[in-house]
Amino acid sequence: MKYAKIISSGMYVPKKVMTNAEFEKLTMFTIDPYFSDAIGINHRHISEDWETPTYMAAEAAKKALARIGMKPEEIDLIIVGTDTPEAVSPPDAPRVQYLIGAHKAEPLAFNVNASCANGALMLDIAARYIAMGDYKNVLVIGTYAMTKFLSWKYSWEALFSDGAGALILTASDEPGFIGSVARADGSWWQNWGIYMGAGTMNLAGFERGLHKLDLRAAYPSTVNEEGWPMLINKLMEKYNITKDEIGMIFFTQVRKKTIEKVMETLGLPIERAHMIMHKYGYTGSACVYMAYDDAFDEGKIEQLEGKVVIFLTSGVGYQQVATAFRM
């Protein structure tokens, strides 16, 4: 059996920045100072019209390929995770395949959508394909263009940014991928989302604003504050991982104070949770890969040899996934 190892990363971030002051002028909402402190966000990156989800995904992928000098035709499988797709159909992944120049080798390319839980889920899927011997090199990309789905009339919209992150995994004789745990609860399905779809793709649906992101009822903070430690403890128990072995945890970058509280609950130093929301805002499906790439650029990844790295992602719907790798 082969193990999946992470060998490269890349990200793409739009250059256009919206400050808090600009957000307040646009929406007529004053951002509570607590928001910036608790969430950790004081600006957001806004994609231009030409910076589509597939464009951003392809640019992140190109950087991951260039980092290790890998040719596009060496990629055997491309998985794109997003809940802000370029189209309902066809999926983004074949378009990304073409944009990076991998189409001549005809690697399989498909989308997944577990909303913002995509990051850890895609790693789990890719690792299992590699373990079965079906593919050697797998490219996983999270891309997020949520600002294109905002109404710009609600205070909570200050959370969102656009961007893309990519990781490349390859088959190895040594771990690598350790395993995953997950949970989901569909009773929260109606709380938050973009509810345009079959049956509502009509004038009435547009008039109701179903093509825009809608926060109908907030999730309680306990969803992550209690759910994340529970999943990490399950992961540690299932795969005999000790706290001392955990070198880094990449959480969904949705709230700084939640990450700090979870690390305190786990009894782990906050330095082992690399955070990027202060740099890039909240980028959903892309955020944990962007956090990994940012940690790599800061020289943190090379210090984790032999350690366990955990990706823990949450998405509306809801679903949560925790995936562990030995570096």
Side-chain angles (χ1 to χ4, degrees):
M1 185 182 78
K2 293 291 185 179
Y3 296 94
K5 286 191 76 74
I6 299 169
I7 57 171
S8 190
S9 63
M11 79 162 86
Y12 178 84
V13 182
K15 291 183 179 179
K16 182 179 178 181
V17 171
M18 179 188 290
T19 64
N20 280 358
E22 290 169 327
F23 176 87
E24 291 176 340
K25 183 177 180 180
L26 176 64
T27 64
M28 304 301 290
F29 274 102
T30 299
I31 296 176
D32 188 332
Y34 176 77
F35 175 91
S36 296
D37 181 54
I39 304 296
I41 294 171
N42 52 36
H43 68 278
R44 52 220 47 85
H45 291 261
I46 311 295
S47 57
E48 302 282 5
D49 289 344
W50 54 270
E51 290 174 305
T52 66
T54 59
Y55 174 85
M56 294 190 292
E59 291 302 301
K62 289 175 184 177
K63 290 179 181 178
L65 289 165
R67 191 187 289 277
I68 57 173
M70 180 177 282
K71 297 178 180 178
E73 53 267 31
E74 294 179 72
I75 296 295
D76 304 305
L77 170 64
I78 299 170
I79 309 173
V80 173
T82 188
D83 57 347
T84 59
E86 199 145 325
V88 173
S89 184
D92 297 61
R95 176 68 176 161
V96 174
Q97 179 213 66
Y98 172 76
L99 290 175
I100 67 173
H103 57 290
K104 293 180 181 179
E106 298 186 336
L108 176 63
F110 62 85
N111 275 33
V112 299
N113 181 8
S115 54
C116 299
N118 283 326
L121 177 61
M122 286 191 290
L123 290 172
D124 180 84
I125 295 169
R128 293 178 192 276
Y129 269 117
I130 288 173
M132 293 298 292
D134 293 325
Y135 302 105
K136 180 182 178 182
N137 298 317
V138 180
L139 171 64
V140 294
I141 314 164
T143 187
Y144 203 62
M146 189 57 81
T147 69
K148 298 181 185 299
F149 294 87
L150 300 181
S151 302
W152 299 115
K153 59 181 182 181
Y154 301 110
S155 60
W156 50 264
E157 292 176 310
L159 178 68
F160 297 99
S161 282
D162 299 331
L167 297 182
I168 298 175
L169 295 83
T170 195
S172 172
D173 292 325
E174 300 177 355
F177 176 69
I178 298 172
S180 297
V181 295
R183 69 174 186 149
D185 185 348
S187 66
W188 299 90
W189 191 86
Q190 288 284 357
N191 282 51
W192 202 346
I194 302 167
Y195 292 97
M196 178 72 81
T200 59
M201 194 71 71
N202 49 44
L203 182 59
F206 280 100
E207 289 176 344
R208 291 168 59 193
L210 298 182
H211 60 298
K212 296 292 186 179
L213 183 64
D214 187 7
L215 172 57
R216 297 175 174 178
Y219 284 81
S221 60
T222 53
V223 168
N224 289 333
E225 287 180 3
E226 296 178 3
W228 285 355
M230 181 182 70
L231 282 177
I232 289 179
N233 285 327
K234 282 187 176 181
L235 196 65
M236 292 169 60
E237 181 179 355
K238 185 176 181 179
Y239 298 105
N240 296 314
I241 300 168
T242 66
K243 287 184 181 180
D244 289 340
E245 291 180 284
I246 298 175
M248 190 75 71
I249 305 176
F250 296 102
F251 294 96
T252 293
Q253 301 286 293
V254 70
R255 190 173 185 272
K256 182 180 70 171
K257 291 295 185 184
T258 297
I259 294 174
E260 291 173 346
K261 185 169 183 177
V262 168
M263 293 300 281
E264 182 181 354
T265 298
L266 291 169
L268 293 171
I270 191 61
E271 291 77 21
R272 296 191 200 177
H274 188 75
M275 289 185 276
I276 61 167
M277 63 277 287
H278 60 292
K279 292 183 178 181
Y280 306 117
Y282 177 58
T283 54
S285 293
C287 67
V288 289
Y289 297 172
M290 291 173 63
Y292 181 97
D293 189 66
D294 189 73
F296 184 94
D297 286 342
E298 290 189 6
K300 294 181 178 180
I301 300 300
E302 63 186 24
Q303 300 173 19
L304 299 176
E305 186 174 355
K307 293 288 188 178
V308 172
V309 166
I310 296 171
F311 297 84
L312 208 173
T313 52
S314 293
V316 294
Y318 73 81
Q319 44 279 318
Q320 296 175 325
V321 186
T323 302
F325 283 78
R326 179 84 58 185
M327 303 302 289

